[in-house]
Amino acid sequence: MLVDNDVTQSRDKGSELQIYLKYFIFAALAIGIVVFIQLGFILKTFKPYYLIVPVILALALGFLFGHVSILRNRLAHKNQLFLAVADFAQEFTYYRLLDGRYEYASPSCFDLTGYTCDEFYQSPNLMDKLIHPDDVEVWGKHIHKINNAGQPDNLDLRLITKDGKTIWFSHICGSVFSADGKQVGVRSTNINITDRKKTEQRIEHMAYYDSLTDLPNRGSLSKHVDELTKSHAAGNERFALLFLDLDRFKNINDSFHHEFGDHLLVELAQRLKRCCKGRGFVARFGGDEFVVVVENLGDPAAAISYAQELVELVEQPFVISNKELYISGGIGISLFPYDGQDSATLIRNADAAMYRAKKETHSCISLYSKDLIEDATAFITTESRIRQGLSNGEFIPYFQPKVSMKDGSIIGVEALARWQTQDRGMVPPDEFIYIMEETGLILPLGSSMLEAVCKQIGKWSKQGLSIPVAVNISSKQFAHPRFINVVKQVIEEYNVNPNLIEFEITEQAFLEDLTSAVDMLLQLKELGLSIAVDDFGTGYSSLSYLKHLPVDTLKIDRSFAADILNDSRDVAILKAIMSLCNDLELKTVVEGVETQEQAKLLLQLGCTVAQGFLYYEAISAEELTEIISRKNIDT
Ligand code: C2E
Ligand code: MG
Ligand code: MG
């Protein structure tokens, strides 16, 4: 309803004047009567100015009553206007007190909720009871906030109407304050947005679902696979991607008609959906191509048998428009993480495998990696054997001495893991460390190596030997939140002198978050441990970060020792590293020294400590004890 402001105002002014006049006349009459009654007494001495006081009184009273009446009229008018507007509005507007009682509920509450204004007035907090169970938590938080004068939210929520329908509504509200700034209530507007929500859901569905089969489309397949690669990256679960392509589908389209082809695709989609329900994610990739993603299916043999099941499903006869039809298809399989780390690579490789299955091998199923069956099975077998080995205590430390290049004396040792197996003898780390890194088993290995080293240091100290031992720490171990606690616990349990332990950590561990790395290194040093940067010079080396790291030693990677005799650039780099270490007061150890020539040149370049087959290989604790005891006796 539109109200012409000027008209109402001029009309108001005219009527307000009349009201003043009316009350003035009333007051004048009343006073006139009083004066008239008194006149008898004062008649004899009456003077005209005696009328001044009654007239002023009449004017004052007339003004007072007139004004009060006008204010009341104005209030009533405003109220009428408010009701005219609020009652007319399509959105449900309410004002409620902080205890939940509704002081005003607009009639459109009925359209939105199915409840009348009176029902709102009679049941405080009625809105709370209507909110959809899935939105109750959000609503509860919002009410708590707004009842405590917090910033108002603009929420899209669902409510359940009196007749049980679910309605989407947009809720806007704000606190109402009294003149002295105290919160007194909450006003709110609620708009039905069910149609808008439905449209949004339809648009979203169109973006992620195939319009013919109603299966997830290519976009949602990529999204799903990328999410899986992220969630599976840390753990040891794997998944398989099966790419199905129908044979000669074009012929079907050409021989019958496109609607027939469409019908067939819809039927096939339904079959796939039914077959994979609860076991896999089915998507239509395009045309006659479908992709099935199956979680916890890293074993190639299991993936192949799943694919076989799908092939058989495709080969069962279809009856479309009363025609019986037989079709076939080929499936290519890619496995995460072996065949790709992201959706694009995994899909591309499964597609390539499917192509190969059809064109080259004339079989209907193919894995992307030809040797994958053997490799993957070997990996999985090794992984489960490693787990067993860990619980049987088959992983033990061997010790490779670090020597002074000047006199050949042993100045410390590095503990290197060895796997003592029944059938294959002593297995070196190359064969198990990468599996442990990938599967997270490096964490229990790290703890068990640290324990074994502490135990050995204890034994040596009982024999009067004090040998510093370096322990390798994987970057996964270093980044683990409980790492520092594990270290403290083990050192305490075996009561070893922490000054005898050095941690060897590769640069990789420091790269991701330098600040937390520095923090962790400081905590380790506070315990009394020393720190060495292992394999320095490989991959990421940035000399500049060294000055930020509280480390004691740099272990120069064995590739330098291997190449210095042939490559002058390696000599130059080594020189630069040595001079930097001098400036930063860092100790150095050159790894992998194998020949006298290398040792000679390294000595010339200022290296003083080395580790390598020229001096010792990694040996058992017993052998090392014997060597050291002998040396002690010799000297
Ligand atoms: P690393 O820490 O750099 O250890 C040195 C490796 O170089 C050892 O191999 C050692 O035997 C080898 N080596 C020493 N001198 C020579 C030499 O003159 N020539 C040649 N060609 N090689 C030499 P190993 O024992 O096979 O260990 C390989 C890697 O496995 C280690 O490299 C380390 O990164 C990892 N590793 C071993 N034990 C553990 C462990 O307990 N925990 C962790 N996280 N990693 C470990
Ligand atoms: Mg090392
Ligand atoms: Mg090393």
Side-chain angles (χ1 to χ4, degrees), residues 32-283:
I33 291 166
V34 174
V35 169
F36 184 75
I37 293 166
Q38 288 183 340
L39 213 56
F41 301 103
I42 53 172
L43 202 55
K44 286 174 228 160
T45 56
F46 178 76
K47 299 277 185 314
Y49 63 82
Y50 284 180
L51 281 178
I52 290 173
V53 173
V55 167
I56 289 173
L57 208 62
L59 276 173
L61 285 175
F63 178 76
L64 196 71
F65 289 124
H67 200 67
V68 168
S69 169
I70 283 165
L71 286 180
R72 279 179 52 195
N73 280 356
R74 280 186 192 168
L75 207 65
H77 184 62
K78 268 194 182 166
N79 209 16
Q80 259 174 352
L81 273 180
F82 165 74
L83 288 178
V85 174
D87 284 1
F88 186 73
Q90 285 187 344
E91 54 266 26
F92 165 33
T93 307
Y94 65 73
Y95 172 74
R96 66 160 175 80
L97 301 174
L98 295 180
D99 63 7
R101 275 177 296 142
Y102 294 90
E103 289 239 308
Y104 172 74
S106 72
S108 42
C109 61
F110 183 77
D111 301 333
L112 190 77
T113 66
Y115 291 87
T116 60
C117 300
D118 283 343
E119 282 172 299
F120 270 89
Y121 295 135
Q122 279 153 22
S123 18
N125 290 322
L126 180 56
M127 275 302 272
D128 296 10
K129 294 163 200 152
L130 309 185
I131 299 298
H132 190 281
D134 292 349
D135 292 338
V136 163
E137 200 184 324
V138 181
W139 176 260
K141 280 186 191 149
H142 158 72
I143 290 297
H144 178 77
K145 196 164 93 176
I146 202 72
N147 277 354
N148 290 291
Q151 277 298 311
D153 294 315
N154 196 346
L155 299 170
D156 286 358
L157 300 160
R158 281 156 294 178
L159 62 76
I160 302 199
T161 62
K162 196 172 185 180
D163 53 1
K165 273 194 276 177
T166 299
I167 299 278
W168 274 98
F169 70 105
S170 166
H171 171 83
I172 308 162
C173 71
S175 300
V176 177
F177 298 93
S178 63
D180 57 357
K182 244 174 72 187
Q183 190 191 10
V184 286
V186 175
R187 63 172 160 232
S188 167
T189 303
N190 302 280
I191 306 162
N192 189 336
I193 54 162
T194 311
D195 288 344
R196 194 191 86 200
K197 279 282 168 191
K198 277 189 184 154
T199 314
E200 279 172 10
Q201 278 162 358
R202 254 201 311 276
I203 290 170
E204 195 176 310
H205 193 84
M206 271 155 62
Y208 285 107
Y209 287 81
D210 170 49
S211 57
L212 177 69
T213 60
D214 206 33
L215 284 179
N217 63 11
R218 189 187 292 213
S220 62
L221 169 71
S222 302
K223 201 167 149 225
H224 179 74
V225 174
D226 279 332
E227 275 163 14
L228 282 187
T229 56
K230 278 189 204 114
S231 63
H232 283 55
N236 48 8
E237 290 152 41
R238 312 175 203 299
F239 66 87
L241 200 138
L242 283 61
F243 197 108
L244 163 70
D245 182 276
L246 301 183
D247 298 331
R248 297 174 299 280
F249 184 69
K250 192 176 171 309
N251 291 355
I252 297 170
N253 267 340
D254 294 345
S255 327
F256 302 97
H257 44 85
H258 281 269
E259 284 78 30
F260 187 90
D262 284 354
H263 206 139
L264 178 71
L265 291 173
V266 172
E267 286 277 313
L268 176 61
Q270 276 165 5
R271 264 188 207 183
L272 289 171
K273 228 194 282 188
R274 270 198 303 274
C275 169
C276 302
K277 193 169 179 204
R279 298 197 299 156
F281 172 93
V282 190

Side-chain angles (χ1 to χ4, degrees), residues 182-445:
K182 244 174 72 187
Q183 190 191 10
V184 286
V186 175
R187 63 172 160 232
S188 167
T189 303
N190 302 280
I191 306 162
N192 189 336
I193 54 162
T194 311
D195 288 344
R196 194 191 86 200
K197 279 282 168 191
K198 277 189 184 154
T199 314
E200 279 172 10
Q201 278 162 358
R202 254 201 311 276
I203 290 170
E204 195 176 310
H205 193 84
M206 271 155 62
Y208 285 107
Y209 287 81
D210 170 49
S211 57
L212 177 69
T213 60
D214 206 33
L215 284 179
N217 63 11
R218 189 187 292 213
S220 62
L221 169 71
S222 302
K223 201 167 149 225
H224 179 74
V225 174
D226 279 332
E227 275 163 14
L228 282 187
T229 56
K230 278 189 204 114
S231 63
H232 283 55
N236 48 8
E237 290 152 41
R238 312 175 203 299
F239 66 87
L241 200 138
L242 283 61
F243 197 108
L244 163 70
D245 182 276
L246 301 183
D247 298 331
R248 297 174 299 280
F249 184 69
K250 192 176 171 309
N251 291 355
I252 297 170
N253 267 340
D254 294 345
S255 327
F256 302 97
H257 44 85
H258 281 269
E259 284 78 30
F260 187 90
D262 284 354
H263 206 139
L264 178 71
L265 291 173
V266 172
E267 286 277 313
L268 176 61
Q270 276 165 5
R271 264 188 207 183
L272 289 171
K273 228 194 282 188
R274 270 198 303 274
C275 169
C276 302
K277 193 169 179 204
R279 298 197 299 156
F281 172 93
V282 190
R284 183 178 177 207
F285 191 70
D288 60 344
E289 296 165 331
F290 294 85
V291 172
V292 179
V293 183
V294 195
E295 287 182 58
N296 302 321
L297 199 71
D299 179 359
I304 289 177
S305 88
Y306 199 110
Q308 191 61 47
E309 204 182 319
L310 296 183
V311 166
E312 283 164 19
L313 194 79
V314 172
E315 288 174 353
Q316 279 166 27
F318 287 86
V319 180
I320 290 160
S321 310
N322 292 325
K323 284 190 192 78
E324 197 175 58
L325 188 79
Y326 289 83
I327 59 166
S328 59
I331 292 180
I333 305 169
S334 63
L335 296 173
F336 173 84
Y338 320 104
D339 297 332
Q341 310 280 328
D342 57 87
S343 66
T345 317
L346 285 162
I347 294 169
R348 194 177 52 244
N349 291 345
D351 186 17
M354 183 275 302
Y355 186 81
R356 200 174 58 217
K358 287 187 169 189
K359 295 283 181 309
E360 290 172 21
T361 61
H362 299 289
S363 98
C364 54
I365 297 168
S366 165
L367 284 157
Y368 176 67
S369 307
K370 278 184 184 151
D371 308 326
L372 202 67
I373 298 191
E374 295 90 61
D375 286 358
T377 318
F379 183 96
I380 289 158
T381 329
T382 317
E383 182 191 326
S384 68
R385 288 197 55 191
I386 289 174
R387 284 184 194 276
Q388 266 171 19
L390 272 171
S391 55
N392 295 342
E394 291 172 13
F395 291 88
I396 54 161
Y398 260 40
F399 299 91
Q400 186 180 30
K402 288 187 268 184
V403 298
S404 154
M405 291 173 85
K406 286 182 185 137
D407 58 11
S409 59
I410 295 173
I411 57 153
V413 292
E414 172 177 7
L416 293 159
R418 294 291 181 266
W419 184 7
Q420 224 174 3
T421 60
Q422 296 273 320
D423 50 344
R424 293 185 47 211
M426 205 60 91
V427 179
D430 307 356
E431 292 187 36
F432 57 82
I433 291 281
Y434 78 99
I435 299 176
M436 289 182 142
E437 289 277 3
E438 199 171 299
T439 53
L441 290 171
I442 198 76
L443 299 174
L445 175 82

Side-chain angles (χ1 to χ4, degrees), residues 414 416 472 504 506 533-536 555-558 591 611:
E414 172 177 7
L416 293 159
N472 288 288
E504 287 191 12
T506 55
V533 179
D534 202 0
D535 303 343
F536 184 78
K555 291 193 80 181
I556 300 164
D557 189 67
R558 66 170 181 258
E591 296 185 287
Q611 192 179 337

Side-chain angles (χ1 to χ4, degrees), residues 548-604:
H548 301 292
L549 292 173
V551 295
D552 308 278
T553 309
L554 219 64
K555 291 193 80 181
I556 300 164
D557 189 67
R558 66 170 181 258
S559 57
F560 285 96
D563 291 340
I564 43 165
L565 292 176
N566 315 316
D567 196 338
S568 57
R569 278 172 307 181
D570 276 313
V571 175
I573 298 172
L574 204 57
K575 267 186 190 163
I577 295 176
M578 294 308 294
S579 119
L580 181 84
C581 288
N582 243 349
D583 292 348
L584 296 176
E585 295 180 355
L586 286 175
K587 287 181 267 180
T588 52
V589 178
V590 189
E591 296 185 287
V593 181
E594 290 181 351
T595 65
Q596 289 292 356
E597 288 77 32
Q598 289 169 346
K600 212 168 133 195
L601 181 54
L602 287 165
L603 260 170
Q604 279 169 15

